[in-house]
Amino acid sequence: MAFAQEQQDALYLLEGIENGTLAASSAARRIEEADPALSYFIVTWLRERYGRDHPAAEGVIGRLVELTSGYRTVKAKLAEGKRDPIVAWFEEEYSYRDFDAKHFIELVVEKLEG
């Protein structure tokens, strides 16, 4: 898959979950097909961005709960992604809250593909 296309697909998934424009079944299928670390990054970015103090937290976190509790394969994929060394690198060097969605996806896809 072309580098730019992978970034576009990842951003589509992130924004689809974030905005509620992607059905849970479609989001689950995309997560299952994606790189495990990328899937973990997307879900974790959303969790970090939409903490309790965020006005849209209820909707976004609700969609994440639906994904992780309703689709076992998603939960397993995220657990696999969390163990990827690139996740440890990112979490030691950066904070998820330092990035908007577009720049976050650009960075992690670049690192995953690099």
Side-chain angles (χ1 to χ4, degrees):
M1 182 180 304
F3 187 72
Q5 184 64 46
E6 188 167 342
Q7 287 179 343
Q8 184 178 0
D9 290 348
L11 190 58
Y12 178 81
L13 173 60
L14 185 150
E15 290 176 340
I17 297 168
E18 181 179 37
N19 300 322
T21 56
L22 194 58
S25 59
S26 295
R29 186 176 62 255
R30 286 176 176 270
I31 288 171
E32 292 162 1
E33 294 170 354
D35 178 276
L38 180 59
S39 297
Y40 176 82
F41 276 133
I42 289 170
V43 169
T44 303
W45 184 89
L46 288 165
R47 285 181 178 146
E48 291 289 323
R49 182 65 100 187
Y50 290 92
R52 292 182 192 165
D53 57 334
H54 197 287
E58 185 177 338
V60 175
I61 299 302
R63 288 187 285 279
L64 291 175
V65 168
E66 181 181 2
L67 277 171
T68 56
S69 65
Y71 299 88
R72 280 192 223 181
T73 53
V74 168
K75 194 170 186 174
K77 184 77 153 205
L78 298 176
E80 179 183 349
K82 184 176 183 175
R83 294 187 300 269
D84 192 298
I86 199 164
V87 171
W89 162 82
F90 178 87
E91 291 178 347
E92 288 173 8
E93 298 292 322
Y94 299 102
S95 169
Y96 289 93
R97 292 181 178 242
D98 290 342
F99 297 91
D100 64 21
K102 184 177 185 298
H103 291 107
F104 176 71
I105 292 298
E106 287 173 356
L107 175 68
V108 298
V109 169
E110 179 182 322
K111 291 297 182 183
L112 287 167
E113 295 299 314

mmCIF file of all heavy atoms in Angstrom, residues 72-106:
data_model
loop_
_atom_site.group_PDB
_atom_site.id
_atom_site.type_symbol
_atom_site.label_atom_id
_atom_site.label_comp_id
_atom_site.label_asym_id
_atom_site.label_seq_id
_atom_site.Cartn_x
_atom_site.Cartn_y
_atom_site.Cartn_z
ATOM 1 N N ARG A 72 -13.945 -9.134 20.087
ATOM 2 C CA ARG A 72 -12.783 -9.736 20.752
ATOM 3 C C ARG A 72 -11.502 -9.582 19.945
ATOM 4 O O ARG A 72 -10.427 -9.399 20.498
ATOM 5 C CB ARG A 72 -13.020 -11.224 20.983
ATOM 6 C CG ARG A 72 -13.860 -11.514 22.150
ATOM 7 C CD ARG A 72 -13.763 -12.976 22.428
ATOM 8 N NE ARG A 72 -15.097 -13.463 22.734
ATOM 9 C CZ ARG A 72 -15.366 -14.693 23.041
ATOM 10 N NH1 ARG A 72 -14.413 -15.592 23.068
ATOM 11 N NH2 ARG A 72 -16.588 -15.054 23.329
ATOM 12 N N THR A 73 -11.635 -9.667 18.647
ATOM 13 C CA THR A 73 -10.451 -9.565 17.804
ATOM 14 C C THR A 73 -9.820 -8.177 17.905
ATOM 15 O O THR A 73 -8.604 -8.047 17.792
ATOM 16 C CB THR A 73 -10.785 -9.891 16.341
ATOM 17 O OG1 THR A 73 -11.879 -9.074 15.916
ATOM 18 C CG2 THR A 73 -11.138 -11.356 16.176
ATOM 19 N N VAL A 74 -10.637 -7.157 18.125
ATOM 20 C CA VAL A 74 -10.109 -5.802 18.292
ATOM 21 C C VAL A 74 -9.292 -5.726 19.571
ATOM 22 O O VAL A 74 -8.171 -5.207 19.583
ATOM 23 C CB VAL A 74 -11.242 -4.748 18.289
ATOM 24 C CG1 VAL A 74 -10.744 -3.389 18.754
ATOM 25 C CG2 VAL A 74 -11.872 -4.650 16.907
ATOM 26 N N LYS A 75 -9.841 -6.258 20.633
ATOM 27 C CA LYS A 75 -9.130 -6.242 21.914
ATOM 28 C C LYS A 75 -7.791 -6.972 21.802
ATOM 29 O O LYS A 75 -6.766 -6.498 22.297
ATOM 30 C CB LYS A 75 -10.003 -6.874 22.993
ATOM 31 C CG LYS A 75 -9.534 -6.611 24.387
ATOM 32 C CD LYS A 75 -10.579 -7.068 25.388
ATOM 33 C CE LYS A 75 -10.157 -6.664 26.775
ATOM 34 N NZ LYS A 75 -11.179 -6.951 27.765
ATOM 35 N N ALA A 76 -7.773 -8.101 21.132
ATOM 36 C CA ALA A 76 -6.535 -8.863 20.950
ATOM 37 C C ALA A 76 -5.543 -8.098 20.080
ATOM 38 O O ALA A 76 -4.338 -8.083 20.363
ATOM 39 C CB ALA A 76 -6.844 -10.223 20.326
ATOM 40 N N LYS A 77 -6.034 -7.449 19.047
ATOM 41 C CA LYS A 77 -5.172 -6.669 18.154
ATOM 42 C C LYS A 77 -4.520 -5.516 18.908
ATOM 43 O O LYS A 77 -3.337 -5.238 18.736
ATOM 44 C CB LYS A 77 -6.014 -6.148 16.992
ATOM 45 C CG LYS A 77 -5.261 -5.418 15.937
ATOM 46 C CD LYS A 77 -4.522 -6.401 15.053
ATOM 47 C CE LYS A 77 -4.328 -5.819 13.693
ATOM 48 N NZ LYS A 77 -4.169 -6.768 12.653
ATOM 49 N N LEU A 78 -5.290 -4.852 19.773
ATOM 50 C CA LEU A 78 -4.749 -3.738 20.550
ATOM 51 C C LEU A 78 -3.698 -4.224 21.550
ATOM 52 O O LEU A 78 -2.672 -3.559 21.747
ATOM 53 C CB LEU A 78 -5.872 -2.988 21.259
ATOM 54 C CG LEU A 78 -6.904 -2.331 20.350
ATOM 55 C CD1 LEU A 78 -8.013 -1.701 21.176
ATOM 56 C CD2 LEU A 78 -6.279 -1.329 19.407
ATOM 57 N N ALA A 79 -3.947 -5.357 22.163
ATOM 58 C CA ALA A 79 -2.967 -5.918 23.103
ATOM 59 C C ALA A 79 -1.669 -6.263 22.377
ATOM 60 O O ALA A 79 -0.569 -6.002 22.885
ATOM 61 C CB ALA A 79 -3.543 -7.154 23.782
ATOM 62 N N GLU A 80 -1.787 -6.800 21.182
ATOM 63 C CA GLU A 80 -0.600 -7.109 20.375
ATOM 64 C C GLU A 80 0.152 -5.819 20.017
ATOM 65 O O GLU A 80 1.372 -5.748 20.116
ATOM 66 C CB GLU A 80 -1.016 -7.849 19.106
ATOM 67 C CG GLU A 80 0.133 -8.193 18.191
ATOM 68 C CD GLU A 80 -0.330 -8.857 16.895
ATOM 69 O OE1 GLU A 80 -1.508 -9.237 16.766
ATOM 70 O OE2 GLU A 80 0.532 -8.978 16.000
ATOM 71 N N GLY A 81 -0.584 -4.807 19.605
ATOM 72 C CA GLY A 81 0.027 -3.541 19.231
ATOM 73 C C GLY A 81 0.742 -2.863 20.377
ATOM 74 O O GLY A 81 1.804 -2.269 20.196
ATOM 75 N N LYS A 82 0.184 -2.974 21.574
ATOM 76 C CA LYS A 82 0.789 -2.346 22.753
ATOM 77 C C LYS A 82 2.186 -2.895 23.020
ATOM 78 O O LYS A 82 3.051 -2.189 23.543
ATOM 79 C CB LYS A 82 -0.108 -2.556 23.971
ATOM 80 C CG LYS A 82 0.394 -1.864 25.208
ATOM 81 C CD LYS A 82 -0.568 -2.025 26.367
ATOM 82 C CE LYS A 82 -0.049 -1.256 27.572
ATOM 83 N NZ LYS A 82 -0.985 -1.265 28.673
ATOM 84 N N ARG A 83 2.430 -4.136 22.649
ATOM 85 C CA ARG A 83 3.729 -4.779 22.889
ATOM 86 C C ARG A 83 4.786 -4.420 21.843
ATOM 87 O O ARG A 83 5.944 -4.767 21.996
ATOM 88 C CB ARG A 83 3.553 -6.295 22.945
ATOM 89 C CG ARG A 83 2.734 -6.768 24.123
ATOM 90 C CD ARG A 83 2.736 -8.272 24.240
ATOM 91 N NE ARG A 83 2.192 -8.949 23.076
ATOM 92 C CZ ARG A 83 0.919 -9.295 22.921
ATOM 93 N NH1 ARG A 83 0.040 -9.016 23.871
ATOM 94 N NH2 ARG A 83 0.517 -9.924 21.834
ATOM 95 N N ASP A 84 4.401 -3.709 20.800
ATOM 96 C CA ASP A 84 5.351 -3.360 19.737
ATOM 97 C C ASP A 84 6.376 -2.359 20.268
ATOM 98 O O ASP A 84 6.014 -1.401 20.938
ATOM 99 C CB ASP A 84 4.592 -2.752 18.554
ATOM 100 C CG ASP A 84 5.456 -2.646 17.319
ATOM 101 O OD1 ASP A 84 6.482 -1.930 17.364
ATOM 102 O OD2 ASP A 84 5.093 -3.253 16.302
ATOM 103 N N PRO A 85 7.654 -2.577 19.986
ATOM 104 C CA PRO A 85 8.697 -1.659 20.472
ATOM 105 C C PRO A 85 8.512 -0.207 20.027
ATOM 106 O O PRO A 85 8.925 0.711 20.732
ATOM 107 C CB PRO A 85 9.993 -2.238 19.894
ATOM 108 C CG PRO A 85 9.680 -3.649 19.582
ATOM 109 C CD PRO A 85 8.215 -3.717 19.289
ATOM 110 N N ILE A 86 7.875 0.015 18.901
ATOM 111 C CA ILE A 86 7.673 1.391 18.439
ATOM 112 C C ILE A 86 6.721 2.148 19.370
ATOM 113 O O ILE A 86 6.828 3.361 19.524
ATOM 114 C CB ILE A 86 7.199 1.437 16.970
ATOM 115 C CG1 ILE A 86 7.450 2.842 16.411
ATOM 116 C CG2 ILE A 86 5.750 1.049 16.836
ATOM 117 C CD1 ILE A 86 7.404 2.923 14.919
ATOM 118 N N VAL A 87 5.812 1.435 20.000
ATOM 119 C CA VAL A 87 4.910 2.065 20.968
ATOM 120 C C VAL A 87 5.708 2.546 22.172
ATOM 121 O O VAL A 87 5.528 3.683 22.639
ATOM 122 C CB VAL A 87 3.772 1.104 21.381
ATOM 123 C CG1 VAL A 87 2.965 1.668 22.539
ATOM 124 C CG2 VAL A 87 2.863 0.817 20.183
ATOM 125 N N ALA A 88 6.605 1.714 22.665
ATOM 126 C CA ALA A 88 7.451 2.115 23.800
ATOM 127 C C ALA A 88 8.293 3.324 23.433
ATOM 128 O O ALA A 88 8.415 4.275 24.216
ATOM 129 C CB ALA A 88 8.336 0.953 24.240
ATOM 130 N N TRP A 89 8.863 3.314 22.234
ATOM 131 C CA TRP A 89 9.653 4.455 21.777
ATOM 132 C C TRP A 89 8.807 5.732 21.781
ATOM 133 O O TRP A 89 9.216 6.745 22.327
ATOM 134 C CB TRP A 89 10.198 4.205 20.368
ATOM 135 C CG TRP A 89 10.628 5.472 19.697
ATOM 136 C CD1 TRP A 89 11.803 6.119 19.861
ATOM 137 C CD2 TRP A 89 9.848 6.266 18.802
ATOM 138 N NE1 TRP A 89 11.816 7.277 19.105
ATOM 139 C CE2 TRP A 89 10.623 7.386 18.455
ATOM 140 C CE3 TRP A 89 8.562 6.137 18.264
ATOM 141 C CZ2 TRP A 89 10.163 8.373 17.586
ATOM 142 C CZ3 TRP A 89 8.102 7.118 17.396
ATOM 143 C CH2 TRP A 89 8.899 8.217 17.075
ATOM 144 N N PHE A 90 7.625 5.653 21.171
ATOM 145 C CA PHE A 90 6.780 6.843 21.080
ATOM 146 C C PHE A 90 6.417 7.358 22.476
ATOM 147 O O PHE A 90 6.510 8.552 22.740
ATOM 148 C CB PHE A 90 5.498 6.539 20.290
ATOM 149 C CG PHE A 90 4.579 7.716 20.208
ATOM 150 C CD1 PHE A 90 4.714 8.649 19.195
ATOM 151 C CD2 PHE A 90 3.578 7.915 21.161
ATOM 152 C CE1 PHE A 90 3.875 9.750 19.135
ATOM 153 C CE2 PHE A 90 2.748 9.006 21.102
ATOM 154 C CZ PHE A 90 2.891 9.933 20.081
ATOM 155 N N GLU A 91 6.004 6.455 23.342
ATOM 156 C CA GLU A 91 5.534 6.874 24.664
ATOM 157 C C GLU A 91 6.661 7.399 25.547
ATOM 158 O O GLU A 91 6.405 8.153 26.475
ATOM 159 C CB GLU A 91 4.766 5.730 25.323
ATOM 160 C CG GLU A 91 3.447 5.483 24.596
ATOM 161 C CD GLU A 91 2.625 4.339 25.130
ATOM 162 O OE1 GLU A 91 3.142 3.518 25.926
ATOM 163 O OE2 GLU A 91 1.437 4.243 24.742
ATOM 164 N N GLU A 92 7.897 7.042 25.254
ATOM 165 C CA GLU A 92 9.039 7.607 25.978
ATOM 166 C C GLU A 92 9.418 8.991 25.447
ATOM 167 O O GLU A 92 9.887 9.842 26.192
ATOM 168 C CB GLU A 92 10.251 6.680 25.870
ATOM 169 C CG GLU A 92 10.109 5.420 26.680
ATOM 170 C CD GLU A 92 11.240 4.440 26.432
ATOM 171 O OE1 GLU A 92 12.222 4.793 25.742
ATOM 172 O OE2 GLU A 92 11.136 3.305 26.923
ATOM 173 N N GLU A 93 9.208 9.205 24.164
ATOM 174 C CA GLU A 93 9.643 10.440 23.508
ATOM 175 C C GLU A 93 8.562 11.517 23.413
ATOM 176 O O GLU A 93 8.887 12.705 23.356
ATOM 177 C CB GLU A 93 10.142 10.134 22.088
ATOM 178 C CG GLU A 93 11.341 9.218 22.036
ATOM 179 C CD GLU A 93 12.600 9.855 22.586
ATOM 180 O OE1 GLU A 93 12.807 11.071 22.356
ATOM 181 O OE2 GLU A 93 13.373 9.147 23.258
ATOM 182 N N TYR A 94 7.309 11.122 23.345
ATOM 183 C CA TYR A 94 6.223 12.054 23.058
ATOM 184 C C TYR A 94 5.042 11.853 23.999
ATOM 185 O O TYR A 94 4.952 10.853 24.694
ATOM 186 C CB TYR A 94 5.708 11.856 21.622
ATOM 187 C CG TYR A 94 6.725 12.084 20.552
ATOM 188 C CD1 TYR A 94 7.355 11.017 19.914
ATOM 189 C CD2 TYR A 94 7.060 13.374 20.153
ATOM 190 C CE1 TYR A 94 8.284 11.221 18.904
ATOM 191 C CE2 TYR A 94 7.991 13.596 19.141
ATOM 192 C CZ TYR A 94 8.600 12.513 18.530
ATOM 193 O OH TYR A 94 9.518 12.730 17.538
ATOM 194 N N SER A 95 4.130 12.781 23.911
ATOM 195 C CA SER A 95 2.832 12.658 24.568
ATOM 196 C C SER A 95 1.772 12.656 23.468
ATOM 197 O O SER A 95 1.871 13.431 22.507
ATOM 198 C CB SER A 95 2.601 13.850 25.512
ATOM 199 O OG SER A 95 1.264 13.861 25.952
ATOM 200 N N TYR A 96 0.790 11.815 23.609
ATOM 201 C CA TYR A 96 -0.274 11.757 22.608
ATOM 202 C C TYR A 96 -0.951 13.116 22.441
ATOM 203 O O TYR A 96 -1.342 13.492 21.347
ATOM 204 C CB TYR A 96 -1.325 10.709 23.001
ATOM 205 C CG TYR A 96 -0.823 9.296 22.862
ATOM 206 C CD1 TYR A 96 -0.251 8.626 23.938
ATOM 207 C CD2 TYR A 96 -0.916 8.619 21.664
ATOM 208 C CE1 TYR A 96 0.209 7.329 23.813
ATOM 209 C CE2 TYR A 96 -0.462 7.319 21.526
ATOM 210 C CZ TYR A 96 0.101 6.679 22.598
ATOM 211 O OH TYR A 96 0.565 5.390 22.472
ATOM 212 N N ARG A 97 -1.069 13.836 23.515
ATOM 213 C CA ARG A 97 -1.751 15.132 23.482
ATOM 214 C C ARG A 97 -0.961 16.220 22.756
ATOM 215 O O ARG A 97 -1.469 17.296 22.509
ATOM 216 C CB ARG A 97 -2.084 15.586 24.896
ATOM 217 C CG ARG A 97 -3.144 14.708 25.523
ATOM 218 C CD ARG A 97 -3.476 15.188 26.916
ATOM 219 N NE ARG A 97 -4.522 14.376 27.476
ATOM 220 C CZ ARG A 97 -5.711 14.832 27.823
ATOM 221 N NH1 ARG A 97 -5.984 16.102 27.695
ATOM 222 N NH2 ARG A 97 -6.614 14.033 28.320
ATOM 223 N N ASP A 98 0.289 15.925 22.402
ATOM 224 C CA ASP A 98 1.115 16.902 21.687
ATOM 225 C C ASP A 98 0.737 17.038 20.211
ATOM 226 O O ASP A 98 1.208 17.953 19.547
ATOM 227 C CB ASP A 98 2.600 16.514 21.759
ATOM 228 C CG ASP A 98 3.182 16.666 23.144
ATOM 229 O OD1 ASP A 98 2.579 17.371 23.982
ATOM 230 O OD2 ASP A 98 4.243 16.070 23.402
ATOM 231 N N PHE A 99 -0.090 16.146 19.715
ATOM 232 C CA PHE A 99 -0.361 16.083 18.283
ATOM 233 C C PHE A 99 -1.841 16.219 17.964
ATOM 234 O O PHE A 99 -2.679 15.633 18.654
ATOM 235 C CB PHE A 99 0.102 14.731 17.716
ATOM 236 C CG PHE A 99 1.572 14.508 17.821
ATOM 237 C CD1 PHE A 99 2.116 13.874 18.927
ATOM 238 C CD2 PHE A 99 2.421 14.937 16.818
ATOM 239 C CE1 PHE A 99 3.478 13.659 19.030
ATOM 240 C CE2 PHE A 99 3.785 14.730 16.910
ATOM 241 C CZ PHE A 99 4.325 14.097 18.019
ATOM 242 N N ASP A 100 -2.131 16.930 16.875
ATOM 243 C CA ASP A 100 -3.479 16.854 16.325
ATOM 244 C C ASP A 100 -3.544 15.551 15.519
ATOM 245 O O ASP A 100 -2.519 14.880 15.314
ATOM 246 C CB ASP A 100 -3.822 18.089 15.483
ATOM 247 C CG ASP A 100 -2.967 18.249 14.230
ATOM 248 O OD1 ASP A 100 -2.372 17.259 13.752
ATOM 249 O OD2 ASP A 100 -2.895 19.376 13.727
ATOM 250 N N ALA A 101 -4.714 15.181 15.081
ATOM 251 C CA ALA A 101 -4.898 13.886 14.432
ATOM 252 C C ALA A 101 -4.014 13.713 13.202
ATOM 253 O O ALA A 101 -3.346 12.682 13.040
ATOM 254 C CB ALA A 101 -6.369 13.709 14.058
ATOM 255 N N LYS A 102 -3.991 14.693 12.338
ATOM 256 C CA LYS A 102 -3.248 14.580 11.082
ATOM 257 C C LYS A 102 -1.752 14.406 11.325
ATOM 258 O O LYS A 102 -1.118 13.508 10.757
ATOM 259 C CB LYS A 102 -3.499 15.809 10.216
ATOM 260 C CG LYS A 102 -2.851 15.751 8.846
ATOM 261 C CD LYS A 102 -3.233 16.986 8.042
ATOM 262 C CE LYS A 102 -2.731 16.935 6.623
ATOM 263 N NZ LYS A 102 -1.315 16.878 6.457
ATOM 264 N N HIS A 103 -1.180 15.225 12.172
ATOM 265 C CA HIS A 103 0.256 15.134 12.434
ATOM 266 C C HIS A 103 0.619 13.856 13.196
ATOM 267 O O HIS A 103 1.691 13.282 12.992
ATOM 268 C CB HIS A 103 0.751 16.382 13.168
ATOM 269 C CG HIS A 103 0.701 17.585 12.297
ATOM 270 N ND1 HIS A 103 -0.227 18.576 12.466
ATOM 271 C CD2 HIS A 103 1.443 17.932 11.218
ATOM 272 C CE1 HIS A 103 -0.040 19.489 11.534
ATOM 273 N NE2 HIS A 103 0.948 19.126 10.756
ATOM 274 N N PHE A 104 -0.266 13.428 14.055
ATOM 275 C CA PHE A 104 -0.048 12.178 14.773
ATOM 276 C C PHE A 104 0.020 11.008 13.794
ATOM 277 O O PHE A 104 0.955 10.207 13.831
ATOM 278 C CB PHE A 104 -1.167 11.962 15.800
ATOM 279 C CG PHE A 104 -1.074 10.653 16.513
ATOM 280 C CD1 PHE A 104 -0.077 10.426 17.445
ATOM 281 C CD2 PHE A 104 -1.978 9.645 16.248
ATOM 282 C CE1 PHE A 104 0.020 9.200 18.101
ATOM 283 C CE2 PHE A 104 -1.891 8.427 16.901
ATOM 284 C CZ PHE A 104 -0.894 8.210 17.833
ATOM 285 N N ILE A 105 -0.954 10.921 12.918
ATOM 286 C CA ILE A 105 -0.995 9.827 11.941
ATOM 287 C C ILE A 105 0.227 9.887 11.027
ATOM 288 O O ILE A 105 0.840 8.861 10.731
ATOM 289 C CB ILE A 105 -2.311 9.846 11.137
ATOM 290 C CG1 ILE A 105 -3.501 9.488 12.042
ATOM 291 C CG2 ILE A 105 -2.239 8.931 9.918
ATOM 292 C CD1 ILE A 105 -3.457 8.096 12.653
ATOM 293 N N GLU A 106 0.597 11.078 10.580
ATOM 294 C CA GLU A 106 1.778 11.207 9.724
ATOM 295 C C GLU A 106 3.014 10.651 10.419
ATOM 296 O O GLU A 106 3.788 9.908 9.822
ATOM 297 C CB GLU A 106 2.005 12.674 9.344
ATOM 298 C CG GLU A 106 1.016 13.193 8.339
ATOM 299 C CD GLU A 106 1.148 14.687 8.089
ATOM 300 O OE1 GLU A 106 1.969 15.373 8.751
ATOM 301 O OE2 GLU A 106 0.405 15.189 7.217
#
